[in-house]
Every structure is written in structure tokens, then in C-alpha cells.
């Protein structure tokens, strides 16, 4: 970046930069983000009649494209430049744009505070860098999110460098594996790593004489005499394969061998999935709008985990000891449950043998609050006592400690951190969507937003849990480091200010191997291609078809004049981020689209009176206003009711029967479960380019990625696709099959669950062999919890205690 900056300063292009800054200054604003900067630069190039190459290829053009923020402060210009993903630099431009100086985030945070008139000279600085600087880290940004592969390579190199030391550590790790009081894998006949290597050879010689399918119980006593307890396999062939992997790992350590061996080690039997704040139940109680995707994710993950653990336990030969998996979804019990089962302490997860929803109530600080559902923005005062109560309940249900704790969302991750610390159990975090990057300037203006959102507690909780976690799973790479054009969700926690509360100068190490990309799957019993007619229920199809296109109901708005038009389908909660109002406006402004298509909207609500918060009510009314403004009543069907899962799967397929398309028009989408569902059902899907949808569709020609702020460009993309379908009738079918196959091959629960358990095993081993730094980080997180988080949570509790219905 130094060279590029110098190239601008040493050429006439510094005049162009100076004039661009003057243009920005004339707007009266002081803070500019990348889109505004690029638009201003494009306008400058046009007005100055610059040649076509100048916008992209000139030195100043390249610098502007790398720039993500500009702050105009007095005589200085501050630029946040991002030369590559996961790497940001702060440059100070002074002396009438003639001098550039590389400076620190600390200086920029002070300037940001002054920008909102909330600067104070002495403020708490949170700096996690010392805890990560000596840890093994990914060096190439392209490998961020592939922590498991990195850790495999690192551990194998250590084994090869100091084999005797690491052999002893490996022995100690295997020797400590138990299920309650049942010793697994090794017993006292093997007292050291060196002896382990010798005994493996004897065991392999013994096993070579046995038939491959000889059941483990027939030769178990012989293996125990050699020092090997149950857990190596259920047949002679399986035990031999596992021991051969260990022998190869000892003598010729390679990442693939390490991964294959660790995958077979039986250390995970009891798993806790934490999803706290929203209506966690089954069938018609799959969360509220703000939690629907999370609840579906957790239920499907629980089913897949229990199934995979059953398989692993049987292959290890441990089912003979009566060992079985036990999976618990931990959530809150809601006394005023509105006729649902959310006041039931224990509920079995459907289609499982031993997976359960365990509901623990919040302490009754003020029953008028705690006996009811509580928004994710208001939940913070109750999490510490919930974690303490849940610990007792979990230990009672498991009759022992869990082996893995998985947090979901900010609140679940914080509770996972508290439980993991107390129980000394491996912790996994899954965030799906972090609030901080969704709300622009939410950290800078947190005091103005505090009464509504309580971001000070949430962002602090995020910092604590993401640094305390042993490993973090993301559904897309962009969650971690974004794209060249956008900053990732976790990257936004690298450094930021909470004026008059604290400065984060280094909040997370994006190059840590704890980050791992592992997308979820889709329930293919419910969401499957429309072309699988033998699996479809004809009566359900007719019912859904009638509901989508013709049925009259108080919760359905609009009547379609022409049912032969191609349907555009959209499904989302009604809020400003999901942007259904933007979709309706885009459709309303295009006469060409209205002539060729009908718009079908599926939401959970239709009338402002049904809204649960002011933003939702505003968006519902805005959507009605847009329909009236553009006279869309005969071109649109707006269905305001919650579809059960089976009905929803059929809805996608019915739209596909009509060769329709699916549009996800969100201003930002961290991942987007509905995108997976629509695609696997065979719907050609267009989705926002802002967030994880880019990776789901992965369309190299950019034909199915939409910029929801560019209505004209979106219209042209949709019309171009429709033209292709009209000109080549097979085109729709080809796209449908391609999208369906992509989801089937890349986003499935079997791959997800195998990867998740492998990560848990590997990081459990890593914690055993390198625990010192973890303890230091945990102590630091405890300090943040008690000195920052708890006082913020207590302020919310004071408001709740004063509440009277």
C-alpha cells in the first residue's frame, strides 16, 4: 500500500484526490463509507471527463477502491484502507493532500469519538493481541476459515520435529479418555508413549490372525491384556484399521492420517446446543420471526448429531457397554407460552432416540417480564443466573458432564462461555448473524440506541464469547472476512469504538485457527426438488396451490388477474433489513415485469396491528402504501400467515411447477436458509450480493446476484433471465437442476455433522496439549464480563424491575 500511496503523491493524480476530497467536504458530512466514496469518485470522473480506465486503473482510482471509510476532521483526512481481506490500515492525509502518514487504529477511534462529540481523553482500551501473538496462526488470508486443516498441518509438523515429546502428549491425551468411570482406549498395561508404540505392533500381529468380521466382544479380553480398552472398533477389521492409523501417525505424521485417526476417537457422547431467546419447540412453534431460522437450524443439527453419534459409538464398539449419545437443546422455559409447549420442561426431539429440548426458566426478577417471551435485545440481565440454573439441570439430565457445548447467537454464545468455563468443556460458537455490522454506526451511536437495542451489552457479550470459544463455525467465509468490497461480520470486531465506554484496539484475531467454515444443511425430507413427483403429496400440492394463487382469507391480500404469468416468490420476516418493501417497489416501478410476472409474498403478518415492535408495524404499513401507490392489487398476492415446514417445502415446489423464480432482496443477509430451501426445491434463485448468499449461489457470471439498492440493474437482470427462458425453453430447467444439485452436494447435514465432531475432537486435543494461553484469555474475558457486561446488564434489569403492565 505504501507504493500505491506514494504513486498518488508523486504524480498529478494528487490533484484529483484533492478535488475529490473537496467534493466530499462540500456535502457538509464528515463520515463516508465505501459506496458513497465510490459514487462520488465516479461522479468526479464523469464531470472531469476522465478516460474510461481512470476510474479503475489509475493510482488514485485503485486507492479509492481500497478505501472503506473516510473521515473529514478539521484540516485532516482519515482514510481506512483495506489492501486485502482481513487487513485494514489507517492513513492520515495532511498538508492539503500532499502528505500521507500510516497511523494507528487508536488515533482513528479518538477522531471518531470527537465526530459524535463524545471524546474523552482517558478511556478503557481492550486489546486481545497479546494473547494471540505467540499462538500458531494462519498466514495466508486465503486460508482464513480453514482452521482445522491448518491445525492438522501444524500438529503433524510438531510430531515430526520432536516426535518423542509429542508421542508422550498423544499417549497422555488417549489415556485420559473416559466415559464417566469407564476407561476407554488404553489401560495401565501401557504406561508410556514409547510402550504404546510397541504394544500397537503386538496388537496388529494378533489382529492379523482374526477374521475381518470377528466381533469385538470375542477378542476384547486379549486386547485388554495388551493394554487396549474398548473404543478402537466393533470388529477385528475396524480395530486393525484404527490402530494402523495411529501407528502411521506416530511414525509418518501427515495431516490426512491425523484427521482420519482423530475422527475415530470416541470422546463426544453428550452435546448441549444452546438457543435461548425464542420459542424453541417443534412444528408450529419454530421460533418467532427474529429466531425462526436459528430454531430450525438447531433442531436439524440436533437430529443429525444424534444420528452421527449413534453411528460412531456403534463403529467404536461402545454400544456393547450401554453407551448411547445424549443431545440436549438448552433454551428458556416461558410460563406464558400462548398455548405452545414452551412451558414444558422436557420435550423429546422428533425422529430421535435421545435428543431433548430442556427448558430452564429465567429467575423471576419481575414476573411481568420473565414469565413472557423476551426480545433478543432485552435478554441480557438474565443470562448469568440462567447459566447457573442450567448447569444444575444439565448435570442432572446427563448424569455427568457434557463433552461439547455449542452456543447459538450472541446470548447463547455468552451462556456457552459461562458453562464451558465452569464445566471445563470444549466450546463451539455459531453466530449466523451478528447485529453490529447489520446496523450502520451502531457502535458509534450506541448511546442514542441504548434504550431500544442495548448494544453496549450485546457487543461486549460478543467480544467475550468469540474470544472465549475454542472454535467458531461460520456458514460462509464472508462472515469472517467479508469480500474485497465489504468488511466481514467478525472483522468488524477487530477494532471499533463505544464512545465513553471503551475502545477496542484489537478485538479478535481473524487468522486464528479457531475460525472454521462449515455451512449447514437442508432437511431433504421436506425440501427436495419439485421434479421428484413420487415423493410429493398430491392433496398437499393442490392445497398449497390454491392457497398461493386463489384462496380468499383475511390473512391474504390481493387477487391475481392473470394466473398464467410467471410467479416471483419471496419469503421473509417484515423488517427493514429483509427489504420486502424494496422488492415491492422494484416490482411496482417495472411495467415490463408486471406484464410478465406476478409477485407472491409470504410473511407471517399482514396488518400493522399484528406487529410486535414499531419497526415491523412501520414496514407493514409501508408495504401496503407501496402496493397502493403502484396499483399492484391485481399483480400481487401477500400471504400473511406462518406455513408449517411441509407446507413451505411444497410452496417452493408449486412455484417451480409454474417455472417461477425466487428473489431474496435483503439489504444484508448473513447466510439465508430460505435461499438453500428455494434452490434445492428447484427454483432459480436471485439473491442479494451483500452477505453470504454470494457463496451459496457462487455464480461466476454474477447473473443471479442482486444489488437491492440498484432497482434498475435488478430489473435488467430479471428481464434478461426471462428473455433467455422465453428464447430457450430448456434454460429455466438447466438453471433449476444446477441450483438444486449445488445445494444437495455442498450444503448437507451429514458433511456438517462429521466436520463439527472432528473439530470438537481436534480442539479438545489442542486444549489438552496447549492450555496455558486459553487460561489467560479466559481470565481477561472474566474481567470484561464483571466490569463491563454486568453493569450494562444491571441497567437493563433496573428498567425491567420498574415495568408494570
Amino acid at each position: 500500500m505504501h507504493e500505491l500511496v506514494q504513486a498518488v503523491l508523486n504524480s498529478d493524480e494528487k490533484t484529483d484526490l484533492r478535488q475529490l476530497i473537496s467534493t466530499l467536504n462540500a456535502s457538509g458530512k464528515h463520515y463516508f463509507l465505501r459506496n458513497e466514496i465510490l459514487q462520488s469518485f465516479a461522479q468526479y470522473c464523469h464531470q472531469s471527463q476522465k478516460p474510461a480506465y481512470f476510474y479503475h486503473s489509475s493510482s488514485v482510482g485503485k486507492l479509492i477502491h481500497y478505501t472503506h471509510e473516510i473521515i473529514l476532521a478539521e484540516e485532516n483526512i482519515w482514510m481506512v484502507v483495506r489492501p486485502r481481506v482481513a487487513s485494514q490500515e489507517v492513513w492520515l492525509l495532511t498538508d492539503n493532500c500532499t502528505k500521507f502518514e500510516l497511523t494507528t487504529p487508536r488515533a482513528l477511534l479518538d477522531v471518531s469519538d470527537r465526530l459524535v462529540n463524545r471524546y474523552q481523553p482517558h478511556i478503557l482500551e481492550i486489546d486481545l493481541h497479546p494473547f494471540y501473538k505467540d499462538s500458531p496462526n494462519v498466514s495466508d488470508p486465503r486460508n482464513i476459515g480453514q482452521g482445522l486443516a491448518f491445525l492438522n498441518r501444524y500438529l503433524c509438523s510438531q510430531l515430526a520435529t520432536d516426535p518423542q515429546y509429542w508421542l508422550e502428549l498423544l499417549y497422555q491425551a488417549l489415556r485420559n479418555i473416559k466415559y464417566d468411570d469407564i476407561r476407554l482406549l488404553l489401560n495401565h498395561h501401557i504406561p508410556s508413549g514409547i510402550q504404546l508404540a510397541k504394544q500397537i505392533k503386538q496388537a496388529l500381529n494378533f489382529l492379523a490372525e482374526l477374521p475381518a468380521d470377528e466381533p469385538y466382544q470375542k477378542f476384547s479380553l486379549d486386547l485388554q491384556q495388551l493394554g487396549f480398552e474398548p473404543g478402537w472398533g466393533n470388529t477385528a477389521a475396524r480395530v486393525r484399521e484404527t490402530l494402523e492409523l495411529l501407528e502411521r501417525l506416530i511414525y509418518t505424521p501427515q495431516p490426512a492420517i491425523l484427521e482420519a485417526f482423530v475422527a475415530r476417537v470416541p470422546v463426544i457422547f453428550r452435546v448441549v446446543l444452546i438457543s435461548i431467546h425464542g420459542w424453541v419447540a417443534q412444528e408450529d412453534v419454530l421460533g418467532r420471526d427474529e429466531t425462526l431460522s436459528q430454531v430450525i437450524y438447531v433442531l436439524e443439527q440436533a437430529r443429525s448429531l444424534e444420528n452421527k453419534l449413534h453411528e460412531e459409538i456403534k463403529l467404536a464398539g461402545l454400544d456393547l457397554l450401554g453407551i448411547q449419545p445424549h443431545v440436549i437443546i438448552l433454551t428458556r422455559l416461558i410460563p406464558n407460552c400462548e398455548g405452545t409447549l414452551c412451558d414444558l420442561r422436557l420435550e423429546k426431539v422428533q425422529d430421535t432416540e435421545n435428543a431433548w429440548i430442556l427448558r430452564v426458566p429465567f429467575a423471576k426478577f419481575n414476573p411481568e417480564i420473565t414469565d413472557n417471551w423476551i426480545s433478543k435485545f432485552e435478554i441480557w440481565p438474565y443470562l448469568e443466573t440462567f447459566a447457573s440454573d442450567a448447569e444444575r439441570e444439565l448435570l442432572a439430565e446427563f448424569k455427568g458432564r457434557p463433552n461439547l457445548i455449542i452456543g447459538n447467537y450472541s446470548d447463547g454464545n455468552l451462556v456457552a462461555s459461562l458453562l464451558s468455563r465452569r464445566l471445563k468443556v470444549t466450546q463451539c460458537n455459531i453466530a449466523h448473524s451478528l447485529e453490529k455490522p447489520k446496523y450502520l454506526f451502531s457502535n458509534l451511536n450506541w448511546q442514542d440506541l441504548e434504550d431500544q437495542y442495548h448494544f453496549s451489552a450485546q457487543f461486549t457479550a460478543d467480544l467475550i464469547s468469540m474470544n472465549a470459544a475454542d472454535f467458531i463455525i461460520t456458514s460462509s467465509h464472508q462472515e469472517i472476512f467479508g469480500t474485497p468490497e465489504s468488511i466481514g461480520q467478525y472483522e468488524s470486531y477487530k477494532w471499533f469504538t463505544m464512545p465513553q465506554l471503551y475502545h477496542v484496539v484489537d478485538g479478535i484475531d481473524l487468522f486464528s485457527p479457531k475460525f472454521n467454515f462449515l455451512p449447514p444443511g437442508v432437511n431433504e425430507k421436506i425440501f427436495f426438488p419439485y421434479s421428484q413427483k413420487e415423493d410429493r403429496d398430491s392433496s398437499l400440492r393442490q392445497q398449497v396451490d390454491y392457497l398461493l394463487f386463489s384462496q380468499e382469507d383475511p390473512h391474504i391480500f390481493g387477487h391475481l388477474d392473470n394466473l398464467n404469468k410467471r410467479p416471483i416468490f419471496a419469503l421473509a420476516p417484515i423488517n427493514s433489513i429483509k427489504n420486502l418493501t424494496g422488492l415491492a417497489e422494484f416490482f411496482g416501478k417495472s411495467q415490463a415485469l408486471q406484464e410478465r410476472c406476478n409477485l407472491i409474498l409470504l410473511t407471517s403478518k399482514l396488518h400493522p396491528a399484528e406487529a410486535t415492535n414499531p419497526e415491523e408495524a412501520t414496514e407493514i404499513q409501508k408495504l401496503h402504501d407501496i402496493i397502493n401507490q403502484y396499483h399492484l392489487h391485481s399483480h400481487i398476492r401477500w400471504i400473511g400467515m406462518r406455513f408449517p415446514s411441509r407446507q413451505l417445502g411444497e410452496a417452493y415446489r408449486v412455484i417451480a411447477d409454474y417455472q417461477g423464480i425466487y428473489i431474496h432482496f435483503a439489504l444484508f443477509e448473513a447466510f439465508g436458509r430460505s435461499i438453500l430451501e428455494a434452490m434445492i426445491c428447484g427454483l432459480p434463485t436471485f439473491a442479494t450480493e451483500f452477505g453470504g448468499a454470494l457463496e451459496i449461489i457462487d455464480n461466476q457470471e454474477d447473473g443471479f446476484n442482486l444489488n437491492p439498492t440498484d432497482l434498475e440493474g435488478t430489473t435488467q437482470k430479471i428481464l434478461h433471465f426471462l428473455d433467455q427462458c422465453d428464447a430457450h425453453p430448456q434454460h429455466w430447467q438447466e438453471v433449476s437442476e444446477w441450483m438444486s444439485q449445488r445445494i444437495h452436494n455442498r450444503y448437507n447435514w451429514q458433511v456438517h455433522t462429521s466436520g463439527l465432531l472432528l473439530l470438537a475432537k481436534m480442539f479438545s486435543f489442542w486444549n489438552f496439549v496447549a492450555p496455558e494461553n486459553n487460561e489467560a484469555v479466559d481470565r481477561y474475558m472474566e474481567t470484561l464480563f464483571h466490569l463491563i457486561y454486568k453493569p450494562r446488564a444491571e441497567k437493563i434489569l433496573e428498567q425491567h424491575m420498574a415495568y408494570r403492565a
Side-chain angles (χ1 to χ4, degrees):
M1 191 51 61
H2 280 272
E3 292 79 5
L4 182 59
V5 168
Q6 205 60 46
V8 173
L9 292 184
N10 292 341
S11 70
D12 293 338
E13 291 182 12
K14 66 175 176 287
T15 302
D16 298 299
L17 179 60
R18 187 183 298 125
Q19 291 177 354
L20 173 63
I21 297 298
S22 297
T23 301
L24 295 176
N25 214 5
S27 70
K29 294 175 58 178
H30 298 281
Y31 207 137
F32 301 88
L33 296 178
R34 187 173 188 271
N35 277 349
E36 297 172 285
I37 297 166
L38 288 175
Q39 287 172 5
S40 296
F41 184 59
Q43 187 175 5
Y44 166 75
C45 291
H46 175 72
Q47 292 175 345
S48 303
Q49 297 183 330
K50 296 291 183 181
Y53 80 89
F54 193 85
Y55 177 75
H56 285 288
S57 303
S58 64
S59 296
V60 70
K62 292 177 182 177
L63 177 61
I64 294 302
H65 278 80
Y66 285 131
T67 301
H68 282 253
E69 297 176 33
I70 289 179
I71 296 179
L72 306 180
E74 298 174 350
E75 299 300 318
N76 297 330
I77 297 97
W78 299 77
M79 301 176 70
V80 177
V81 179
R82 196 164 171 262
R84 63 192 69 85
V85 296
S87 178
Q88 299 179 49
E89 300 174 357
V90 180
W91 288 84
L92 177 60
L93 180 58
T94 59
D95 295 341
N96 196 25
C97 299
T98 59
K99 182 180 178 183
F100 259 116
E101 175 188 349
L102 183 63
T103 184
T104 65
R106 282 183 173 87
L108 183 71
L109 298 182
D110 283 342
V111 171
S112 299
D113 288 355
R114 286 191 175 95
L115 196 67
V116 291
N117 298 316
R118 283 178 173 144
Y119 170 75
Q120 64 183 54
H122 303 291
I123 190 169
L124 172 67
E125 287 191 344
I126 298 174
D127 186 359
L128 276 298
H129 176 70
F131 301 106
Y132 290 108
K133 66 176 183 178
D134 296 324
S135 300
N137 273 9
V138 174
S139 56
D140 189 337
R142 291 172 296 182
N143 293 330
I144 294 174
Q146 300 176 42
L148 177 63
F150 168 82
L151 211 52
N152 284 344
R153 292 193 299 271
Y154 177 81
L155 288 172
C156 286
S157 70
Q158 297 297 306
L159 276 164
T161 303
D162 193 349
Q164 196 138 344
Y165 170 74
W166 282 90
L167 173 59
E168 195 61 31
L169 280 178
L170 180 60
Y171 159 74
Q172 291 292 343
L174 295 175
R175 186 173 177 272
N176 282 337
I177 294 175
K178 295 180 180 179
Y179 177 82
D180 294 340
D181 295 327
I182 302 173
R183 185 173 291 281
L184 304 178
L185 297 184
L186 302 179
N187 61 35
H188 66 278
H189 291 300
I190 300 179
S192 67
I194 293 175
Q195 189 63 33
L196 171 62
K198 293 177 181 177
Q199 293 298 96
I200 289 173
K201 294 184 183 300
Q202 291 191 41
L204 288 174
N205 290 334
F206 164 73
L207 291 164
E209 303 298 322
L210 299 178
D213 59 353
E214 183 87 349
Y216 170 76
Q217 59 266 38
K218 289 191 175 182
F219 57 87
S220 60
L221 293 178
D222 297 286
L223 278 186
Q224 285 177 313
Q225 288 298 314
L226 291 172
F228 298 98
E229 291 293 323
W232 297 97
N234 60 340
T235 65
R238 181 78 180 183
V239 174
R240 186 167 64 246
E241 288 171 6
T242 308
L243 288 173
E244 284 173 347
L245 283 170
L246 179 56
E247 184 179 49
R248 291 171 64 192
L249 180 62
I250 292 170
Y251 293 107
T252 55
Q254 296 174 12
I257 297 172
L258 175 61
E259 184 170 313
F261 174 70
V262 169
R264 294 190 176 207
V265 176
V267 292
I268 309 294
F269 308 102
R270 301 176 178 127
V271 181
V272 184
L273 310 173
I274 305 177
S275 179
I276 298 172
H277 64 269
W279 298 107
V280 179
Q282 300 176 82
E283 293 299 333
D284 295 336
V285 204
L286 291 171
R288 291 217 169 175
D289 283 349
E290 66 180 37
T291 58
L292 175 62
S293 292
Q294 181 188 142
V295 175
I296 294 172
Y297 181 106
V298 171
L299 282 166
E300 292 184 0
Q301 189 181 56
R303 293 187 185 102
S304 184
L305 269 169
E306 196 232 18
N307 183 61
K308 181 63 176 176
L309 286 171
H310 266 298
E311 178 188 320
E312 289 194 354
I313 287 169
K314 184 176 181 180
L315 286 172
L318 296 179
D319 55 329
L320 302 173
L321 301 179
I323 296 174
Q324 64 172 334
H326 195 170
V327 177
I328 288 179
I329 299 172
L330 175 65
T331 188
R332 64 169 297 226
L333 185 146
I334 307 174
N336 295 337
C337 64
E338 301 178 19
T340 71
L341 295 180
C342 292
D343 63 342
L344 186 66
R345 178 182 176 274
L346 205 59
E347 179 185 355
K348 189 175 182 183
V349 176
Q350 295 165 3
D351 302 322
T352 69
E353 293 181 30
N354 200 23
W356 302 82
I357 301 171
L358 173 65
R359 301 184 182 92
V360 177
F362 282 167
K364 291 183 179 292
F365 290 95
N366 178 355
E368 294 194 31
I369 295 287
T370 54
D371 281 0
N372 299 289
W373 175 80
I374 301 174
S375 163
K376 62 184 178 181
F377 297 116
E378 301 286 337
I379 204 168
W380 308 107
Y382 311 106
L383 298 184
E384 185 178 15
T385 53
F386 176 84
S388 181
D389 294 340
E391 180 182 354
R392 290 192 298 272
E393 297 275 355
L394 287 169
L395 292 175
E397 286 298 318
F398 281 135
K399 297 180 175 58
R401 289 189 307 159
N403 310 112
L404 174 63
I405 297 175
I406 303 173
N408 284 273
Y409 195 71
S410 299
D411 49 6
N413 286 329
L414 183 67
V415 171
S417 299
L418 296 173
L419 287 171
S420 173
R421 178 74 170 147
R422 291 172 186 162
L423 297 173
K424 303 200 179 303
V425 175
T426 301
Q427 174 194 349
C428 167
N429 276 18
I430 304 175
H432 308 295
S433 176
L434 294 164
E435 299 296 327
K436 181 176 172 292
K438 283 165 59 175
Y439 292 83
L440 284 179
F441 307 120
S442 52
N443 59 289
L444 193 61
N445 299 310
W446 71 271
Q447 284 141 306
D448 300 328
L449 303 169
E450 190 70 356
D451 286 345
Q452 183 176 0
Y453 295 112
H454 306 296
F455 284 143
S456 64
Q458 179 160 8
F459 297 168
T460 306
D462 287 335
L463 278 174
I464 292 169
S465 62
M466 68 177 62
N467 284 287
D470 295 295
F471 64 100
I472 296 171
I473 285 177
T474 68
S475 299
S476 67
H477 293 97
Q478 294 179 71
E479 285 180 44
I480 311 171
F481 55 75
T483 68
E485 291 77 31
S486 63
I487 291 172
Q489 292 188 64
Y490 283 96
E491 187 180 357
S492 74
Y493 284 80
K494 182 66 175 174
W495 44 266
F496 65 95
T497 174
M498 302 285 282
Q500 298 178 335
L501 183 61
Y502 56 69
H503 283 176
V504 176
V505 296
D506 201 330
I508 186 68
D509 182 7
L510 302 171
F511 291 82
S512 168
K514 73 167 57 181
F515 282 106
N516 284 271
F517 167 66
L518 194 62
V522 183
N523 186 341
E524 296 191 36
K525 293 180 180 178
I526 294 173
F527 302 100
F528 55 84
Y530 79 101
S531 55
Q532 290 179 208
K533 300 191 184 300
E534 67 278 6
D535 296 321
R536 296 176 66 178
D537 183 328
S538 58
S539 62
L540 179 63
R541 187 208 176 282
Q542 291 173 3
Q543 173 196 340
V544 172
D545 187 292
Y546 181 60
L547 187 58
L548 289 175
F549 293 100
S550 306
Q551 182 174 322
E552 294 185 6
D553 188 279
H555 291 94
I556 300 176
F557 180 88
H559 174 80
L560 302 178
D561 281 352
N562 186 350
L563 295 179
N564 294 320
K565 294 179 182 179
R566 197 184 297 268
I568 296 174
F569 187 44
L571 158 70
I574 302 182
N575 59 53
S576 58
I577 301 295
K578 297 300 183 182
N579 196 35
L580 287 179
T581 54
L583 176 60
E585 186 172 14
F586 138 77
F587 184 71
K589 285 185 173 181
S590 174
Q591 196 63 39
L593 273 177
Q594 293 173 46
E595 289 172 359
R596 301 170 71 172
C597 300
N598 290 315
L599 180 60
I600 315 290
L601 303 180
L602 179 58
T603 70
S604 63
K605 301 180 180 77
L606 183 64
H607 307 291
E610 299 170 325
T612 56
N613 59 67
E615 180 193 0
E616 190 175 49
T618 300
E619 287 296 303
I620 293 173
Q621 186 57 54
K622 184 178 177 182
L623 190 48
H624 279 288
D625 293 343
I626 289 171
I627 292 171
N628 291 330
Q629 178 185 352
Y630 293 101
H631 308 291
L632 297 177
H633 305 79
S634 60
H635 302 285
I636 193 169
R637 288 271 288 177
W638 177 4
I639 301 156
M641 57 181 71
R642 176 74 64 82
F643 276 26
S645 296
R646 286 183 67 249
Q647 203 174 39
L648 178 59
E650 192 60 28
Y652 290 118
R653 289 187 286 274
V654 166
I655 298 295
D657 289 335
Y658 287 87
Q659 293 209 335
I661 62 176
Y662 183 77
I663 295 184
H664 192 88
F665 211 59
L667 297 175
F668 175 83
E669 180 57 70
F671 187 63
R673 283 190 58 84
S674 66
I675 299 171
L676 299 184
E677 294 166 356
M679 288 176 68
I680 201 166
C681 288
L683 272 179
T685 297
F686 295 79
T688 178
E689 65 184 35
F690 301 121
L694 276 173
E695 292 180 37
I696 297 175
I697 296 177
D698 190 31
N699 177 242
Q700 299 299 320
E701 297 178 1
D702 197 34
F704 296 93
N705 301 317
L706 305 178
N707 180 346
T709 65
D710 178 8
L711 300 187
E712 179 60 31
T714 296
T715 302
Q716 293 308 314
K717 280 192 177 183
I718 303 297
L719 290 174
H720 177 67
F721 176 75
L722 298 180
D723 289 340
Q724 288 180 298
C725 292
D726 291 344
H728 309 283
Q730 75 278 10
H731 182 69
W732 186 96
Q733 186 66 39
E734 290 170 354
V735 173
S736 168
E737 291 176 0
W738 170 76
M739 289 195 168
S740 184
Q741 278 301 119
R742 174 165 175 78
I743 302 305
H744 175 76
N745 295 334
R746 186 171 174 82
Y747 296 92
N748 67 76
W749 281 113
Q750 292 79 11
V751 172
H752 173 94
T753 305
S754 296
L756 171 58
L757 292 175
L758 181 59
L759 282 165
K761 294 172 183 180
M762 184 61 71
F763 279 93
S764 296
F765 175 63
W766 179 246
N767 284 343
F768 179 81
V769 300
E772 298 84 3
N773 211 32
N774 287 352
E775 179 65 23
V777 170
D778 286 344
R779 291 289 186 185
Y780 195 90
M781 294 306 108
E782 282 185 353
T783 302
L784 295 183
F785 179 84
H786 288 286
L787 297 185
I788 302 177
Y789 172 82
K790 281 191 70 171
R792 305 309 309 174
E794 286 165 1
K795 285 183 178 293
I796 304 171
L797 184 59
E798 288 174 9
Q799 298 171 10
H800 288 188
M801 292 300 289
Y803 174 81
R804 292 293 179 268

